[in-house]
Amino acid sequence: MTGWKFAFSRRWAGYLALTILFAAVCSGLGAWQLARRDEALTELFKIDSNFDSNPVPVTEALPDLTAFDESQKWMPVELKGTYVTADEMLARNRPLNVNPGFEVLTPLLLTDGTIFIVDRGWLPTGQEQDAPDTVPAPPSGTVTVVARLKASEPDLPGRTANGDQVATINLTTIAARLDQPTYTGAYGLMDTESPAATEKRPAAVVKPIRDEGPHLSYAFQWFVFGLLAFIGLGWALREEYRSVNAEDPDERERADERSRKRAAKPRNDAEIEDELLDRQLT
């Protein structure tokens, strides 16, 4: 089978199909990485737009108890009310710098009679029990709190908690426990409270690091892998053509020309050393 007829065989059709499949998988993975990058950029935009903005009244940001839009993540809101320490809760399984711990959730009874859940910060797991050693008391009386909004978390099946602990910050579940009108669209990560508590507050949330991740470079690599698959297929096709048509006069002439070019090509030191070593051995 001379010429290019071999390229239309069932074997090469299979090679082509595998190459197309591999390239399609690479393209899909590249597109997935681009989608991941878009998600990361969206999160960065929320941080840039909201984290350091001026606080607004909670009733302005959240006109009703269920209101919240993802574009409001990290938005500072101002609240005025009284902490309900009797209903304070601990969100379990909250690591910080690989250390296990809890987040302290304290209901804030606002002046209009509604409840807003304030995450006052993080505490480490105690030395001898599955709970913090101590929970710093919030300030008593009327307090003004600035907190950054976060969405209610989903209720994860299989995760349970007892007593004053909760498995997730699912505001609907917390509202049912409190049995009072409670904001269920979002809760707040405390930034400041005035007057300040007499005890040192739990560890505050820090501004997220501005990093979009390596998704763009990963996407580029996957697209290159898909392209290289076709380049490799073309190289293999060319090599088999030369092998199949080795006795063809035109192909033999081209092979001789390639040999002359390789012989005329300047050699590097390693190639010269290899040639001298071969001569010594022979």
Side-chain angles (χ1 to χ4, degrees):
M1 188 180 294
T2 59
W4 291 98
K5 294 180 181 179
F6 71 92
F8 299 96
S9 65
R10 181 176 299 178
R11 177 167 58 90
W12 275 97
Y15 293 160
L16 177 61
L18 288 175
T19 302
I20 292 174
L21 177 62
F22 178 79
V25 171
C26 289
S27 297
L29 291 171
W32 174 66
Q33 287 292 344
L34 290 178
R36 293 279 307 278
R37 179 175 183 261
D38 287 341
E39 293 173 1
L41 291 177
T42 299
E43 288 300 312
L44 292 180
F45 178 77
K46 295 174 189 175
I47 295 171
D48 295 340
S49 301
N50 297 334
F51 199 91
D52 294 321
S53 62
N54 294 323
V56 299
V58 67
T59 52
E60 180 181 326
L62 306 175
D64 60 71
L65 299 182
T66 61
F68 179 73
D69 188 271
E70 270 298 321
S71 64
Q72 295 177 298
K73 185 178 180 180
W74 305 116
M75 176 186 290
V77 295
E78 187 176 80
L79 312 112
K80 183 172 290 188
T82 305
Y83 282 121
V84 185
T85 55
D87 292 323
E88 192 168 66
M89 291 159 279
L90 297 171
R92 58 185 295 114
N93 296 325
R94 302 286 162 156
L96 179 65
N97 299 328
V98 308
N99 297 310
F102 297 81
E103 290 182 25
V104 182
L105 308 177
T106 310
L108 184 68
L109 178 61
L110 305 182
T111 54
D112 63 0
T114 59
I115 295 285
F116 187 89
I117 302 300
V118 177
D119 185 337
R120 298 189 65 245
W122 180 88
L123 293 173
T125 301
Q127 298 296 321
E128 299 180 358
Q129 71 285 330
D130 186 22
D133 288 331
T134 59
V135 178
S140 59
T142 301
V143 61
T144 299
V145 176
V146 174
R148 293 185 172 87
L149 296 179
K150 283 196 74 177
S152 173
E153 297 177 355
D155 193 7
L156 301 178
R159 291 186 61 178
T160 59
N162 299 316
D164 63 350
Q165 297 184 12
V166 293
T168 65
I169 308 177
N170 182 272
L171 297 177
T172 302
T173 303
I174 291 175
R177 176 184 292 198
L178 298 175
D179 195 24
Q180 295 185 65
T182 303
Y183 281 85
T184 57
Y187 68 102
L189 302 172
M190 190 181 78
D191 181 25
T192 62
E193 55 188 1
S194 179
T198 56
E199 301 180 59
K200 183 180 179 181
R201 61 165 290 181
V205 66
V206 296
K207 187 174 184 178
I209 298 174
R210 201 181 188 289
D211 180 18
E212 69 177 60
H215 304 300
L216 184 60
S217 61
Y218 287 168
F220 177 76
Q221 290 174 19
W222 281 118
F223 290 137
V224 169
F225 290 157
L227 178 62
L228 288 176
F230 286 102
I231 294 175
L233 180 68
W235 177 86
L237 188 67
R238 184 196 64 180
E239 291 300 305
E240 182 156 342
Y241 173 85
R242 291 175 177 176
S243 177
V244 168
N245 297 276
E247 300 303 321
D248 181 76
D250 292 337
E251 181 57 31
R252 291 174 64 179
E253 182 178 344
R254 286 192 288 268
D256 292 340
E257 180 62 24
R258 289 193 295 271
S259 297
R260 287 193 295 269
K261 288 182 178 179
R262 283 195 295 269
K265 183 179 178 180
R267 296 177 297 171
N268 55 39
D269 293 341
E271 291 173 335
I272 294 173
E273 291 174 359
D274 290 341
E275 183 178 344
L276 291 174
L277 181 61
D278 290 340
R279 289 179 181 177
Q280 292 176 358
L281 293 175
T282 58

